Amino acid sequence: MVAPKYLKFTWGLLRSALSRKVACWVFLSLVVIEVIIFIPSYQSRKRENLRQLELVSKELLWATRQEAMKGVDIQALFQKFANQFNADSVIEGGALYQASTGQLVNQFGDVPPLFAQPPDPQHPITELHSQGQRYDVASMTLGFTPRDQYIIVVRHDSSGLQADLYGYGWRIAGLVVLIAVVVTATTMVVVGRLVIVPILELRQDFLRAGEALTQAEPDREVALKTLALIQDDEMGEVVRSFHDLFHRTRSAIQARHQTEQALREAQLKSDQLLLNILPASIAEKLKQGERAIAENFEQVTILFADLVNFTCLSTQIPAPELVCLLNDIFSRFDALVDRYHLEKIKTIGDAYMVVGGVPLPHDRQGGAIIDLALAMRSALAEFNQDNHRNFQLRIGINTGQVVAGVIGIKKFTYDLWGDAVNIASRMESHGLPDKIQISASTYALVHDHYPFEYRGKINIKGRGEMDTYLL
């Protein structure tokens, strides 16, 4: 379990662009720092090795200078100096030069040139050349006169020095790389656990949070993984701030959704209430801002229905019971109106008014009204049987031209105006109990489909006598 988890952690660090950038910067920074430290160390080691070479000939040169100060011939001393070195020595050669003229006086082995003039016996001059394979040291001897002053140049084999420096350089370079790799890896493990992993988890949490905030069910709980990675540092503060922002945002969205839901429900109730009062097309016009709505309809069929002797009955039945009975009857009528796709206009007391062809055209308005009248009569018979009552209907129907619309700004209703409405009302009021009486205009529309009986002429106020028919 530990190995797969470690491999997953390592793979996540390698995939992270930020992790790779941090690793590169740490590695390069360590290499640069180590190189800066290495250069003085390399130079110091080089100087130390050169001083070791100088020590081989330094003591003899010092003894030579001391003998020369005693008056011993310098050339004899130089020859004695030359004879002390064998083939295994690091000294490969030497030369004695007159200080004043630079003339070669004596020599042995690989003769070094006089490459510089030492300022005094206490400060020899050195030169490393031939690609680091030779190291020459020029030293001034003491004398009583300028003619007694000589320069001794000793050549040393420094090839071993270069090999040592190369080996030292490679060892240091390897150590630098090793240290850089170890420190970089350690840094990445620490940075990975403290920064990279929380950032990667935070990125996933951002995606989860975005999905949670835009889903249809914002109340569903969301598991945010960075909750388990909260640290007591700046990264922890960022995570805590994100969690706080997420929960506050989700709470605000939830509150907004609840408000929107309440508004939708209120709007739905408002629309439903408006549709219970007005036809759908008229309600839509009112919602769009129209105020005075009126239309002329050339031919519509109007039905009036009235409960016979209901006024007298109202004095014999308690008011609450009476209202319940009336509500039951008219509710049954309302269902029938919807079934035949007609439009209920209003109820006045025990009177019930329906129209066909308003506000939308009806392909068989006359027939639909007749069917409604028959169904209303049957529905009332069922009501009487269920409630042990003996109610009767008078129904009157007329067809003609009307104006329909909505007027006013308070307690408005959709209503009809016109002579055809008055005639339909007279058809009902002059009708017979349990009968359906229609005018001649309606009869002309539907007489081929229903069995009518000619009743005769009745006197209509304002219109005189009119032909009527009974169904």
Side-chain angles (χ1 to χ4, degrees):
M1 291 295 293
V2 177
K5 185 176 181 180
Y6 177 76
L7 291 175
K8 182 179 179 181
F9 172 75
T10 304
W11 177 243
L13 289 181
L14 293 176
R15 291 181 58 191
S16 170
L18 178 60
S19 176
R20 293 196 298 269
K21 289 179 180 178
V22 172
C24 289
W25 277 107
V26 170
F27 183 82
L28 291 176
S29 299
L30 288 172
V31 169
V32 170
I33 292 173
E34 293 292 342
V35 168
I36 293 174
I37 296 174
F38 167 71
I39 291 175
S41 175
Y42 180 87
Q43 295 296 332
S44 176
R45 187 177 182 88
K46 181 179 178 180
R47 287 194 297 271
E48 181 63 27
N49 286 344
L50 292 175
R51 278 196 296 270
Q52 292 297 326
L53 287 178
E54 292 178 24
L55 289 176
V56 176
S57 57
K58 185 175 182 180
E59 292 183 1
L60 292 176
L61 289 174
W62 177 258
T64 301
R65 285 198 297 270
Q66 294 298 320
E67 291 293 330
M69 292 178 61
K70 296 176 181 179
V72 180
D73 181 31
I74 191 64
Q75 296 189 35
L77 291 173
F78 179 78
Q79 189 61 45
K80 180 180 177 181
F81 170 78
N83 293 335
Q84 294 185 26
F85 296 100
N86 53 38
D88 296 331
S89 175
V90 295
I91 296 179
E92 294 186 336
L96 181 66
Y97 293 93
Q98 182 71 41
S100 59
T101 63
Q103 180 182 359
L104 178 64
V105 177
N106 202 348
Q107 63 183 19
F108 72 91
D110 187 4
V111 180
L114 180 60
F115 57 89
Q117 183 82 23
D120 56 65
Q122 303 300 324
H123 297 89
I125 297 177
T126 63
E127 181 181 54
L128 184 66
H129 56 89
S130 298
Q131 298 178 347
Q133 300 299 313
R134 300 291 182 267
Y135 181 60
D136 295 343
V137 179
S139 179
M140 175 77 74
T141 64
L142 294 176
F144 295 101
T145 65
R147 293 184 57 83
D148 296 331
Q149 293 181 350
Y150 294 86
I151 298 174
I152 300 175
V153 182
V154 180
R155 169 159 291 180
H156 304 78
D157 180 10
S158 59
S159 58
L161 167 66
Q162 290 302 110
D164 178 74
L165 289 176
Y166 285 145
Y168 177 76
W170 281 111
R171 289 193 301 274
I172 293 299
L175 185 61
V176 166
V177 172
L178 179 61
I179 292 174
V181 169
V182 172
V183 174
T184 301
T186 304
T187 303
M188 290 316 302
V189 170
V190 176
V191 172
R193 291 191 178 277
L194 297 181
V195 179
I196 303 299
V197 171
I199 287 178
L200 294 176
E201 293 295 345
L202 189 60
R203 179 181 65 182
Q204 294 301 319
D205 280 352
F206 270 118
L207 298 177
R208 295 187 191 96
E211 181 181 356
L213 295 177
T214 56
Q215 66 181 353
E217 299 178 358
D219 294 332
R220 184 173 62 86
E221 288 299 323
V222 180
L224 300 178
K225 290 188 176 182
T226 45
L227 281 172
L229 299 173
I230 294 181
Q231 303 154 185
D232 189 18
D233 54 21
E234 289 76 6
M235 191 65 206
E237 293 178 2
V238 172
V239 172
R240 284 189 288 271
S241 298
F242 162 69
H243 288 173
D244 180 64
L245 176 62
F246 166 70
H247 289 297
R248 284 192 288 117
T249 303
R250 189 170 69 165
S251 297
I253 291 177
Q254 290 172 350
R256 188 192 69 187
H257 284 180
Q258 293 173 356
T259 302
E260 291 176 349
Q261 182 63 27
L263 288 174
R264 283 192 294 268
E265 292 176 358
Q267 184 65 38
L268 185 61
K269 292 179 180 178
S270 176
D271 291 344
Q272 190 61 43
L273 181 61
L274 194 60
L275 291 175
N276 287 336
I277 299 173
L278 301 172
S281 60
I282 302 303
E284 187 63 30
K285 289 181 179 180
L286 284 176
K287 287 193 291 184
Q288 291 177 359
E290 294 188 35
R291 288 294 175 259
I293 300 175
E295 294 179 272
N296 185 62
F297 296 90
E298 294 295 330
Q299 187 182 64
V300 300
T301 300
I302 308 155
L303 176 148
F304 276 93
D306 187 69
L307 292 173
V308 179
N309 296 326
F310 187 80
T311 303
C312 296
L313 185 63
S314 64
T315 62
Q316 304 171 8
I317 301 177
E321 182 181 353
L322 183 68
V323 171
C324 289
L325 291 175
L326 197 61
N327 179 68
D328 191 354
I329 294 172
F330 283 177
S331 296
R332 298 183 187 214
F333 291 172
D334 290 345
L336 295 174
V337 170
D338 290 340
R339 179 193 302 175
Y340 292 104
H341 305 291
L342 300 170
E343 192 67 44
K344 175 185 175 181
I345 299 302
K346 60 185 175 181
T347 59
I348 303 176
D350 61 326
Y352 193 86
M353 180 180 178
V354 183
V355 65
V358 173
L360 300 176
H362 198 296
D363 54 355
R364 53 182 300 273
Q365 54 172 309
I369 287 290
I370 297 298
D371 292 340
L372 173 65
L374 294 172
M376 290 171 66
R377 195 164 60 180
S378 299
L380 185 61
E382 292 179 1
F383 172 83
N384 288 334
Q385 184 177 357
D386 295 340
N387 295 275
H388 308 288
R389 298 290 178 178
N390 190 28
F391 288 120
Q392 290 181 307
L393 274 180
R394 279 195 310 267
I395 298 177
I397 300 173
N398 179 50
T399 301
Q401 180 181 1
V402 298
V403 174
V406 178
I407 57 175
I409 58 174
K410 289 186 176 181
K411 297 183 179 180
F412 51 80
T413 59
Y414 187 70
D415 210 346
L416 306 180
W417 299 274
D419 195 42
V421 178
N422 297 329
I423 294 173
S425 178
R426 295 296 184 271
M427 289 294 107
E428 178 275 318
S429 62
H430 291 75
L432 300 175
D434 207 27
K435 295 292 184 179
I436 299 171
Q437 180 169 259
I438 68 173
S439 65
S441 57
T442 304
Y443 178 78
L445 288 176
V446 299
H447 70 277
D448 292 335
H449 305 286
Y450 301 92
F452 290 100
E453 173 188 349
Y454 180 66
R455 181 184 180 188
K457 295 182 181 293
I458 62 173
N459 187 33
I460 302 299
K461 183 179 179 180
R463 294 294 300 272
E465 293 186 341
M466 298 185 65
D467 293 323
T468 60
Y469 301 84
L470 296 176
L471 177 60

